[in-house]
Amino acid sequence: MHIIARRAATGIGSPVLTSLCTSRLTGTRRLYTMADSDHTVFNKPKVELHVHLDGAIRVQTILDVAKRRGITLPTDTEEELTQKIALEKPSTLTAFLEKFNEYMHVVAGDREAIKRIAYEFVEDKAKEGVIYVEVRYSPHFLANTQVEPIPWNQTEGNLSPDEVVHLVNEGLSEGERAFNIKARSILCCMRHMPSWSMDVVELCKKYRHEGVVAIDLAGDESLNCLANPGHRRAYEEAERCGIHRTVHAGEVGPASVVKEAVEVLKAERIGHGYRTLEDEGLYRKLLAQNMHFEVCPVSSKLTGACDPDFTKHPIITFMKDKANYSLNTDDPLILNSNLHLDYSTVHRYMGFTEEEFKRLNICSAESCFLPDEEKKELLDRLYEAYGMMTSTAF
């Protein structure tokens, strides 16, 4: 999601879901929760490309870290804190952003917490059947020194954005070994903080051989690159150095934001991209270019990015047009969701089949930011698991 000023240096965090749905048979409204995803509709290996680390923290971990650090929270039970953090019905970006203020101050600036959330993230993804994941985050939002302003009303400490990346890399790497999946990371620039962007691309360059595979731009889509040239300069440097590039665009912002992402920032993938459909010419052009869209069904409903009626979702057009896209959770903490819920949602309300799930995961692997040799290995694993022994060439 991160359509927004997601991550105003005042507070930000992660997802939990309980969304109101309407039965197509009865027209009645009921709560659609994670219990609905208990039945796994696609019990095969999956690839996930768009999920925010600080939006995927375990509630129990927040409670544990708060207790260790002596930080008082409004409740000390997992159930009550989940209710406090979770969005329970389709809302607004503003309401979504406010949820991060509930817990980000607990984990930011704490070395043990940051490494722990990265490790636990990998474990959670493994349980969802993910064999490859790219997780993104803003190093500056987890730091408390060498960042201006210092986020989450923290006092200055000694944890820099550079060390944050090192800690996340360590946690992901240990999780990979423990849970037998592959995890890589994407570092986020924030639209409202162009002064951070060159720092982000330098961190991408420094850690490109230690798990960082790309740069991202998230936040308020009304803040364009013409008015904030720091982002354009950072992306030009990323392209010059061979750093992969994705951009949040067309989530709530107009199709022109997608066009800027592709033409100015040279994005190789688009985060969300739903509003691309408002510009038929642009959409057809990106289809022809095989542009990858990182779509997040449950997120797009609860943040107000798309019509709350799933049967009218832009993803249906992507599916029918055989577009290149992936299914992702975005911020499962604040959405109280998991990847199974996104899959069961599109199966139940959008008519997705097992064959489409296989196709979109192949697309996801083909569009991931792994080196070619590792990408081929990933594709071979999927083809074997899906009973599609097709050779791949790069």
Side-chain angles (χ1 to χ4, degrees):
M1 76 146 276
H2 309 104
I3 32 199
I4 35 200
R6 167 184 157 98
R7 289 128 184 332
T10 53
I12 308 169
S14 91
V16 239
L17 186 180
T18 328
S19 98
L20 284 168
C21 290
T22 302
S23 167
R24 284 196 274 181
L25 295 177
T26 66
T28 57
R29 287 161 63 82
R30 65 176 183 80
L31 283 175
Y32 181 37
T33 68
M34 277 204 289
D36 292 274
S37 68
D38 287 346
H39 173 63
T40 303
V41 300
F42 188 63
N43 193 23
K44 290 180 170 61
K46 293 178 280 292
V47 173
E48 185 170 12
L49 302 180
H50 190 118
V51 54
H52 292 260
L53 181 62
D54 54 355
I57 305 171
R58 295 177 183 174
V59 174
Q60 187 58 53
T61 296
I62 297 169
L63 291 168
D64 292 347
V65 175
K67 182 177 181 180
R68 173 172 58 79
R69 299 184 71 186
I71 297 173
T72 301
L73 292 173
T75 177
D76 59 1
T77 71
E78 185 173 357
E79 181 179 2
E80 290 179 351
L81 187 56
T82 297
Q83 292 174 349
K84 187 80 173 170
I85 295 173
L87 279 176
E88 296 187 349
K89 59 184 178 180
S91 189
T92 64
L93 285 183
T94 300
F96 175 88
L97 290 179
E98 289 174 351
K99 296 294 186 178
F100 291 95
N101 290 311
E102 300 287 348
Y103 66 90
M104 276 300 287
H105 63 289
V106 175
V107 298
D110 188 88
R111 290 172 172 81
E112 181 180 329
I114 290 168
K115 185 174 178 179
R116 174 177 172 177
I117 64 176
Y119 178 87
E120 292 178 343
F121 169 83
V122 178
E123 181 178 18
D124 292 342
K125 288 298 148 184
K127 291 177 179 178
E128 295 175 0
V130 174
I131 61 171
Y132 176 69
V133 62
E134 291 175 2
V135 61
R136 63 191 67 193
Y137 64 97
S138 163
H140 296 77
F141 273 124
L142 291 168
N144 60 15
T145 192
Q146 296 179 32
V147 54
E148 177 61 40
I150 297 173
W152 316 117
N153 296 316
Q154 299 177 90
T155 57
E156 185 165 8
N158 59 6
L159 182 59
S160 67
D162 189 309
E163 190 177 356
V164 166
V165 178
H166 177 72
L167 289 165
V168 171
N169 290 346
E170 283 190 336
L172 295 178
S173 180
E174 291 180 13
E176 283 186 291
R177 292 192 295 271
F179 307 111
N180 194 33
I181 79 169
K182 184 168 288 190
R184 297 293 183 264
S185 60
I186 297 171
L187 305 186
C188 294
C189 304
M190 301 308 305
R191 286 186 183 270
H192 71 291
M193 290 303 302
S195 61
W196 293 353
S197 292
M198 284 305 296
D199 191 22
V200 172
V201 75
E202 290 302 317
L203 290 171
C204 289
K205 290 159 62 175
K206 178 176 180 178
Y207 291 105
R208 66 190 306 173
H209 300 300
E210 297 176 44
V212 176
V213 294
I215 191 170
D216 180 30
L217 178 60
D220 186 348
E221 293 183 45
S222 68
L223 302 175
N224 62 40
C225 293
L226 183 63
N228 298 276
H231 303 313
R232 176 181 51 78
R233 288 193 292 268
Y235 269 69
E236 288 173 347
E237 176 67 6
E239 183 185 23
R240 186 186 73 81
C241 296
I243 301 297
H244 288 296
R245 302 163 303 284
T246 183
V247 176
H248 282 71
E251 182 176 11
V252 294
S256 60
V257 181
V258 178
K259 185 175 183 180
E260 178 186 73
V262 174
E263 296 182 357
V264 177
L265 300 179
K266 309 301 182 185
E268 299 167 85
R269 297 194 326 228
I270 296 296
H272 303 283
Y274 317 117
R275 308 288 182 185
T276 308
L277 298 182
E278 296 173 358
D279 183 334
E280 180 70 15
L282 176 64
Y283 176 56
R284 292 299 163 188
K285 179 181 178 180
L286 296 184
L287 276 181
Q289 293 175 356
N290 201 37
M291 176 60 68
H292 184 88
F293 296 93
E294 307 157 354
V295 304
C296 310
V298 171
S299 167
S300 67
K301 174 172 182 169
L302 291 184
T303 61
C306 294
D307 191 311
D309 183 349
F310 279 129
T311 66
K312 299 177 181 178
H313 203 286
I315 296 173
I316 298 173
T317 299
F318 292 162
M319 174 190 66
K320 291 179 177 178
D321 290 341
K322 298 298 181 185
N324 179 9
Y325 67 96
S326 51
L327 287 182
N328 309 278
T329 53
D330 200 7
D331 292 279
L333 166 61
I334 294 168
L335 306 170
N336 197 19
S337 67
N338 58 31
L339 194 55
H340 294 311
L341 182 56
D342 284 281
Y343 274 73
S344 62
T345 295
V346 298
H347 173 71
R348 179 183 301 217
Y349 297 103
M350 305 182 200
F352 274 53
T353 64
E354 179 168 298
E355 289 308 306
E356 182 64 9
F357 288 142
K358 290 178 181 178
R359 191 192 74 85
L360 72 87
N361 275 282
I362 294 295
C363 287
S364 303
E366 290 174 340
S367 301
C368 79
F369 291 143
L370 284 173
D372 286 349
E373 185 175 337
E374 291 181 67
K375 184 181 293 189
K376 182 181 184 304
E377 292 173 358
L378 174 60
L379 281 162
D380 286 344
R381 286 188 64 185
L382 292 178
Y383 283 130
E384 182 176 7
Y386 297 167
M388 304 164 57
M389 291 307 293
T390 304
S391 62
T392 58
F394 287 93

